[in-house]
Amino acid sequence: DAMVIQNPRYQVTQFGKPVTLSCSQTLNHNVMYWYQQKSSQAPKLLFHYYDKDFNNEADTPDNFQSRRPNTSFCFLDIRSPGLGDAAMYLCATSSVRGGAYEQYFGPGTRLTVT
Amino acid sequence: GNSVTQMEGPVTLSEEAFLTINCTYTATGYPSLFWYVQYPGEGLQLLLKATKADDKGSNKGFEATYRKETTSFHLEKGSVQVSDSAVYFCALRGNQGGKLIFGQGTELSVKP
């Protein structure tokens, strides 16, 4: 089945220690998104890639970076995690080649900062 | 700007009860509307969608109708099960594209 995969599902990092979360997709979608979600609140969009074009949300801290080396993979880098960055990080994809452009989400990575 | 408002939770129901979760929106033009469900510890799953006025989205016994006159997209299910316990998010995407706008989520708890 075509899907969105996130690894790892659980990540523990130390305060200030860089961490990378990964996302891959077999849907061949041209748009990939990263969201941060805390305590069953609505997901908060951090940034997205439209093909290779990076689009940052205005209120996303500089501490968060992203890379998309090819269509299938996208990475979220947190350069110096703080305690406030502990959250669920969700990757999503969509295709803007037709339809309602619904987004398909991965299972998420739960990040703990110690 | 675009926005989505959902009824506050938690909503607690007994098994086989009727479910309604209210969702209203503010948007220009003709947005696409979605319901997503999030089970504990999981990502969001698309439950159903509607792309134009009077469309009815349905899946797994859930349904919602796009009502432009009342700017609503209420989620309903005739008989809930314990396995439906989750957080439900209403969302819209503007007709000019752009990001998903989520409601605040409604937690549903179904008791046996």
Side-chain angles (χ1 to χ4, degrees):
Chain A
D1 285 344
M3 55 198 305
V4 181
I5 302 161
Q6 290 188 245
N7 286 305
R9 293 292 309 275
Y10 301 91
Q11 176 74 58
V12 180
T13 191
Q14 293 178 337
F15 182 94
K17 184 175 182 180
V19 65
T20 294
L21 309 181
S22 71
C23 176
S24 63
Q25 53 127 342
T26 60
L27 296 160
N28 200 32
H29 285 171
N30 59 327
V31 190
M32 295 187 76
Y33 308 81
W34 279 105
Y35 290 87
Q36 179 192 66
Q37 187 183 31
K38 295 186 177 182
S39 303
S40 287
Q41 297 175 18
K44 178 181 181 298
L45 182 64
L46 296 173
F47 25 61
H48 73 278
Y49 276 93
Y50 188 126
D51 294 320
K52 294 183 179 180
D53 293 333
F54 177 72
N55 298 271
N56 199 31
E57 293 298 299
D59 57 354
T60 297
D62 292 341
N63 198 26
F64 291 86
Q65 305 285 318
S66 185
R67 297 169 283 136
R68 188 179 186 186
N70 54 52
T71 300
S72 300
F73 285 87
C74 195
F75 300 98
L76 170 62
D77 300 309
I78 308 176
R79 293 191 299 184
S80 182
L83 298 178
D85 296 328
M88 174 78 90
Y89 289 89
L90 297 167
C91 175
T93 72
S94 70
S95 173
V96 295
R97 299 188 182 95
Y101 316 136
E102 59 264 33
Q103 294 185 15
Y104 294 88
F105 286 79
T109 294
R110 170 76 63 188
L111 179 67
T112 300
V113 182
T114 61
Chain B
N2 296 344
S3 67
V4 176
T5 302
Q6 293 179 231
M7 64 186 285
E8 288 193 19
V11 173
T12 302
L13 296 173
S14 297
E15 204 165 22
E16 299 184 1
F18 185 86
L19 168 71
T20 300
I21 300 178
N22 290 338
C23 172
T24 57
Y25 68 90
T26 301
T28 55
Y30 300 90
S32 295
L33 301 174
F34 308 90
W35 276 102
Y36 283 87
V37 58
Q38 186 174 32
Y39 299 102
E42 299 294 324
L44 276 68
Q45 298 178 23
L46 178 64
L47 183 59
L48 51 84
K49 67 180 182 184
T51 59
K52 60 183 186 296
D54 300 325
D55 266 2
K56 178 185 282 188
S58 62
N59 186 25
K60 299 180 181 179
F62 292 89
E63 56 183 37
T65 302
Y66 188 144
R67 301 286 188 198
K68 189 156 179 67
E69 64 275 14
T70 54
T71 62
S72 65
F73 193 54
H74 304 321
L75 182 68
E76 296 181 335
K77 186 176 185 183
S79 177
V80 293
Q81 305 300 312
V82 173
S83 57
D84 294 326
S85 299
V87 179
Y88 292 80
F89 291 96
C90 184
L92 72 80
R93 193 177 192 278
N95 63 326
Q96 295 301 319
K99 60 186 181 182
L100 274 181
I101 306 297
F102 288 95
Q104 70 269 38
T106 303
E107 182 182 358
L108 170 66
S109 177
V110 181
K111 306 298 184 185

